[in-house]
Amino acid sequence: QLEIANKDLKQFAHQVSHDLKQPIRTVNSFIELLRKKLEADLSEETELYMTYISDSAVQMGRFVDDILKYAEINRESQALETVDCNEVIIQIENSLRAQILQSEAQIIYNNLPEIAAHRSLISQLFQNLISNSIKFQRAGIPPIIKINAVENKNDYIFEFEDNGIGIDEENQSKVFDLFTRIHTQVD
């Protein structure tokens, strides 16, 4: 029953993704066409409304992507493997090179361990944490991201620290809730 439910969830997510992404693209396309058509006569208020519509469409697209990613995670189909976390960070630095250069971010880590993990999931987690540290930086202050791993008896505790805008104490327990966004806009 669980296999059937997972298969149904994945099919549903793909269908929803397909069905919702096209109207989102259409909304964004028409907003741009309206901007061009009304460019000379565009009031500040109209521009603001169009920006709200466009931003909302982008948020909807992210939500659809999140649903699709969640549905595609199938831990049973991925074997645990030895993952060198230093290599994962290097790959992420290459992936995020443009954002790192633009924000002047520094990523500081040293001798991270090799762990038994699902490579794609640990990479996605680390990339999301690093990307958020860059995205939610303090105005005018280059991000400094420190990554450390502390060994326990049977595992490691990874610590990610940055000098960004932070998360209010009342929202800290919600950070890893599914589909939750604490900061909807960058300060």
Side-chain angles (χ1 to χ4, degrees):
Q1 286 178 342
L2 182 59
E3 283 180 23
I4 292 169
N6 282 338
K7 183 179 176 186
D8 289 347
L9 175 63
K10 193 171 183 176
Q11 284 180 313
F12 172 75
H14 280 283
Q15 187 63 43
V16 166
S17 174
H18 180 266
D19 290 350
L20 289 178
K21 281 191 172 189
Q22 185 54 49
I24 291 168
R25 283 190 292 270
T26 301
V27 167
N28 279 327
S29 295
F30 275 100
I31 288 294
E32 288 310 308
L33 288 172
L34 279 172
R35 273 194 178 109
K36 287 177 184 172
K37 183 174 177 120
L38 302 173
E39 190 171 25
D41 301 322
L42 199 59
S43 73
E44 241 181 75
E45 186 178 38
T46 304
E47 175 62 35
L48 181 65
Y49 293 159
M50 292 170 78
T51 299
Y52 287 151
I53 293 167
S54 183
D55 289 351
S56 294
V58 167
Q59 285 180 335
M60 177 60 81
R62 283 191 203 126
F63 182 69
V64 169
D65 289 341
D66 287 348
I67 290 172
L68 190 57
K69 283 179 190 172
Y70 178 70
E72 289 177 346
I73 294 175
N74 184 352
R75 292 184 177 125
E76 286 70 39
S77 70
Q78 290 184 338
L80 287 178
E81 60 185 290
T82 301
V83 177
D84 182 337
C85 293
N86 297 291
E87 289 177 6
V88 169
I89 300 300
I90 290 167
Q91 290 170 350
I92 292 168
E93 287 174 321
N94 290 332
S95 248
L96 299 176
R97 180 66 47 213
Q99 294 96 313
I100 290 168
L101 290 173
Q102 182 178 16
S103 67
E104 299 177 357
Q106 293 180 49
I107 302 173
I108 302 167
Y109 61 98
N110 213 348
N111 297 322
L112 296 176
E114 289 185 348
I115 59 173
H118 299 287
R119 180 176 297 277
S120 64
L121 295 179
I122 203 76
S123 295
Q124 182 179 2
L125 173 64
F126 284 12
Q127 182 161 331
N128 287 347
L129 291 169
I130 292 168
S131 177
N132 283 343
S133 292
I134 295 169
K135 185 187 313 180
F136 297 108
Q137 71 185 84
R138 293 185 189 278
I141 300 174
I144 299 173
I145 304 154
K146 298 177 183 174
I147 306 165
N148 190 34
V150 178
E151 187 173 6
N152 281 339
K153 250 184 183 176
N154 300 317
D155 56 18
Y156 288 90
I157 296 174
F158 285 85
E159 300 168 343
F160 283 72
E161 178 185 339
D162 65 48
N163 62 342
I165 62 174
I167 301 166
D168 292 334
E169 195 171 321
E170 72 258 11
N171 290 325
Q172 289 180 5
S173 65
K174 300 175 187 175
V175 170
F176 292 103
D177 288 351
L178 290 175
F179 309 120
T180 299
R181 293 192 189 282
I182 303 300
H183 298 293
T184 55
Q185 295 180 11
V186 178
D187 289 352

